Amino acid sequence: MSRTNTAQGRSRSAVDSGVNRWVVLVVLCVSLLLVALDATILHVAVPSLTEDLRPSSTALLWIVDAYPLVCASLLILFGTLGDRVGRRRVLLLGYALFGIASAVAALATAPAVLIGARALLGVGGAMIMPATLSILRTVFPDRRERATAIGVWTATAAIGAATGPVLGGFLVENYWWGSVFLINIPLMALILPLGRRLLPESRGAADGPWDVLGALMAAAGVLGCVLGVKRAGAGDPLLALPTAGPLLLGAALLVLFVRRQKRRPHPLIDLRLFSRAAFTTSVGCIVIGMLALVGLELIAVQYLQLVLGLSPLETGLRLLPLTFAAMAAGATGSYTLRRIGPRRMVGWGFVLTAAAVLLLTLMGQHDRPLLLTVGFVLLGFGLQTTLFSAYESMLSEAPQRSAGGAAAIGETSYQLGAGMGIALLGSVMNSAYAPALASVPGVPAEASRGAANSLGEAYKVADQLGGTAGEALHQAARHSFVHGLHVTLFVSAGLLLVGALMAQRLPRIMECPVDPEEAFDAREAQGAPSVQEGVDRAAAGAAGGPGAVVGVPGAASAGPSERTGSSGVPAASERAAAPGVPAASGRAGHAEPAGCPEGGEPRVPASREAIEPAGSGRPAH
């Protein structure tokens, strides 16, 4: 008990007496913004880069894919390493590596150098992304404040991904392709000393040696799965060796990794997290949400550029409503989550996104700006609402000692969902697009086969043919692409509705336990009873039932000393009896969840890890 009290005291000292946690949030969001920008900013620079460096088709593929592949594969490794050696330390090292890699990429004169620089950027991104989320989990121990912070964090990720093409288009049109990397350097030069000064250091569970072999197995397994999914998305046959080989090898390594973690007394990742329905469901919802977002964005960009004929900069501007809607969803997410709870928020977010996708099926071969704007606004708001609540529920289910591992799982799910979206929806698109081009009147069979690869290739073949045959192929390709777009949108809407059904396994209300670490251990010790059971016991306690502790589902009847947390905060039933503190209401349909009173006194959870302010010189325990 003394260890818990000491950790809690240090936690409060770092958060309350040190640097303001909202300033820390700004630093973390700027870090995430740069990583998210770099994931999409290169896409519009590919034509200029290809003209300058003359890479082969394989080299060009690796230039684009090296960053997301390396980043996705190393998230678990660096997320769990941060739990052991210090999350701030890993984050600062990631800053430095990201800045150096950006300079090398901007000045690259050969494809091999650029591929290596992009791989280093992926290493830096893998060090930054889980560290930002796990530090956020630690700096904001109160769930209500953490929900607000996660809303800002997820909105920042959406802003970075959506504004990448806009900023990239502006830089490429006015400077040269290397400028899309060069902008990282002054920002990293600014944020590195700021992060060193302002960010608190924290660690998770450090019992036993770090499982280096397990970390490498997880990295290789995720790399194989993501590589296989990306090859499938590029159009390679699923049963071909370049696609099936990495997929099977990656899946086998991940299975071995899980078995190894179950046997070890001090595993890298606490697999008990996956026994919690809310955690597993949240991870699945992140995968489905990203699957829909990235797949739809890719197809939408092709539609705007190739069907409507917009420039890269105009395309980026057309996608801005999606970004603004995501910002609004992030800003209001905490309030909405407290009012309606995770289950309804994720479920209705998926339903709203599915409605937006079905609305976009009204798109045709002619520009309809108002329809696109409304569709993108609903799409951005719905998906951001879903991702925000899923991330918040996932992090809240994990104890602080496993924050780095939980953050790495969430980010890996994010990357896998993105890759699966490109593969799955891209395959659906190609299957619906290609058949109509097999028998265009006057077009040779060889030209038809080339045109069936993509709409861009069809335009090139049509220009080469010229005349009536070229015009017929051009029109047939446009019509077939729009048809394929509609089919893909219907499939995507179906997947989103599946996500809405999955969300029914999430908690009905937003619970705020006095000590989430002890609540987690208590649930595991008692066989992890359902969230609804915990709600029923809390309601029984509010009605005068024997010995129920609000906010700790499954807690047994407690004596006087047990009803008071380690920090001396009285249990909810005692606070309700105190003068001036309203008792928990048991009325049906009450808007405020019982676990998170809007006006009650703040309940800072105890922590089993120490958070030290920057520059304190004291090690975290």
Side-chain angles (χ1 to χ4, degrees):
M1 183 64 72
S2 60
R3 179 184 176 188
T4 304
N5 288 339
T6 303
Q8 184 186 7
R10 290 177 180 169
S11 179
R12 286 183 175 180
S13 174
V15 177
D16 296 335
S17 302
V19 177
N20 187 285
R21 55 192 176 278
W22 301 106
V23 176
V24 172
L25 177 62
V26 171
V27 176
L28 296 177
C29 286
V30 173
S31 311
L32 180 67
L33 181 64
L34 291 174
V35 176
L37 273 173
D38 224 64
T40 58
I41 198 171
L42 182 65
H43 294 169
V44 295
V46 167
S48 176
L49 181 156
T50 303
E51 185 178 352
D52 189 12
L53 298 183
R54 301 290 181 183
S56 65
S57 58
T58 303
L60 182 61
L61 183 65
W62 279 105
I63 288 173
V64 175
D65 287 345
Y67 175 81
L69 282 174
V70 173
C71 184
S73 63
L74 297 179
L75 286 168
I76 293 177
L77 189 152
F78 286 120
T80 55
L81 181 63
D83 284 342
R84 296 302 181 99
V85 305
R87 295 151 186 163
R88 171 176 165 267
R89 181 177 300 174
V90 171
L91 181 61
L92 295 179
L93 185 58
Y95 287 163
L97 189 59
F98 206 83
I100 294 170
S102 297
V104 174
L107 303 176
T109 56
V113 175
L114 184 55
I115 292 172
R118 289 278 288 171
L120 283 178
L121 281 170
V123 176
M127 301 174 85
I128 293 171
M129 291 178 70
T132 61
L133 196 54
S134 56
I135 291 175
L136 183 151
R137 169 69 173 85
T138 303
V139 171
F140 291 90
D142 181 78
R143 184 170 183 179
R144 290 171 297 167
E145 288 190 342
R146 184 168 67 245
T148 302
I150 292 175
V152 176
W153 186 89
T154 53
T156 301
I159 292 169
T163 56
V166 180
L167 182 59
F170 172 80
L171 292 172
V172 171
E173 288 183 7
N174 291 277
Y175 301 100
W176 93 109
W177 62 265
S179 61
V180 302
F181 300 109
L182 209 58
I183 61 169
N184 294 336
I185 298 174
L187 291 174
M188 282 298 174
L190 173 66
I191 201 172
L192 181 58
L194 280 179
R196 188 171 183 271
R197 180 177 180 83
L198 299 178
L199 296 178
E201 181 61 284
S202 66
R203 291 183 177 89
D207 299 330
W210 187 54
D211 185 9
V212 180
L213 178 59
L216 294 177
M217 289 173 61
V222 173
L223 177 63
C225 290
V226 175
L227 180 60
V229 166
K230 280 187 170 291
R231 287 189 177 276
D236 293 350
L238 186 60
L239 298 180
L241 183 60
T243 303
L247 274 174
L248 293 176
L249 179 61
L253 286 172
L254 289 179
V255 169
L256 292 176
F257 169 75
V258 170
R259 295 181 63 182
R260 179 180 176 86
Q261 298 308 297
K262 287 182 176 179
R263 292 196 304 266
R264 292 184 64 85
H266 305 292
L268 276 177
I269 294 177
D270 188 356
L271 296 178
R272 294 181 303 165
L273 293 172
F274 288 98
S275 68
R276 304 295 302 159
F279 185 89
T280 306
T281 303
S282 298
V283 170
C285 289
I286 291 171
V287 171
I288 291 181
M290 285 307 302
L291 186 154
L293 177 62
V294 174
L296 291 175
E297 275 193 344
L298 178 66
I299 296 170
V301 167
Q302 293 178 345
Y303 171 79
L304 294 173
Q305 290 187 353
L306 298 178
V307 176
L308 301 185
L310 302 181
S311 69
L313 181 58
E314 290 172 329
T315 299
L317 292 174
R318 282 293 187 93
L319 292 173
L320 280 182
L322 189 150
T323 304
F324 293 142
M327 293 171 60
T332 60
S334 177
Y335 176 83
T336 307
L337 183 62
R338 291 198 307 270
R339 292 296 174 184
I340 68 176
R343 182 187 302 174
R344 291 180 182 176
M345 190 167 180
V346 174
W348 285 111
F350 273 127
V351 171
L352 179 61
T353 308
V357 168
L358 293 176
L359 178 65
L360 290 175
T361 58
L362 300 177
M363 294 186 302
Q365 298 188 35
H366 302 288
D367 193 4
R368 302 181 67 179
L370 181 60
L371 171 67
L372 289 175
T373 300
V374 173
F376 287 155
V377 166
L378 295 177
L379 181 66
F381 193 90
L383 270 179
Q384 182 64 24
T385 296
T386 298
L387 290 174
F388 157 76
S389 188
Y391 265 110
E392 198 281 334
S393 298
M394 180 199 71
L395 276 185
S396 296
E397 282 293 315
Q400 288 188 17
R401 62 178 179 264
S402 304
I409 292 171
E411 294 299 330
T412 303
S413 305
Y414 186 100
Q415 298 289 343
L416 283 174
M420 290 171 62
I422 296 173
L424 178 60
L425 297 186
S427 298
V428 172
M429 180 73 193
N430 291 336
S431 298
Y433 164 77
L437 301 180
S439 58
V440 180
V443 178
E446 185 69 25
S448 295
R449 283 192 295 270
N453 292 329
S454 67
L455 183 58
E457 186 70 20
Y459 284 173
K460 292 180 181 179
V461 173
D463 291 340
Q464 293 172 358
L465 288 176
T468 305
E471 181 62 25
L473 180 60
H474 189 279
Q475 292 298 325
R478 279 170 57 92
H479 179 77
S480 182
F481 183 89
V482 172
H483 168 70
L485 173 63
H486 292 165
V487 172
T488 305
L489 290 173
F490 279 115
V491 171
S492 180
L495 291 172
L496 291 166
L497 293 177
V498 170
L501 293 177
M502 286 178 53
Q504 299 308 303
R505 301 186 66 204
L506 291 172
R508 185 175 58 84
I509 65 171
M510 178 182 173
E511 294 180 301
C512 293
V514 174
D515 188 341
E517 297 252 353
E518 293 184 0
F520 178 84
D521 293 338
R523 288 194 299 258
E524 292 301 323
Q526 298 187 17
S530 68
V531 174
Q532 189 59 48
E533 291 174 7
V535 175
D536 293 339
R537 295 184 185 184
V549 180
V550 175
V552 186
S557 178
S561 61
E562 293 171 317
R563 286 196 300 268
T564 302
S566 60
S567 61
V569 179
S573 58
E574 295 179 359
R575 287 201 311 274
V581 180
S585 173
R587 291 174 298 175
H590 192 274
E592 183 64 32
C596 288
E598 183 68 32
E601 70 177 75
R603 289 175 290 175
V604 181
S607 170
R608 288 191 181 143
E609 64 178 326
I611 315 172
E612 296 296 342
S616 66
R618 292 183 295 175
H621 299 288

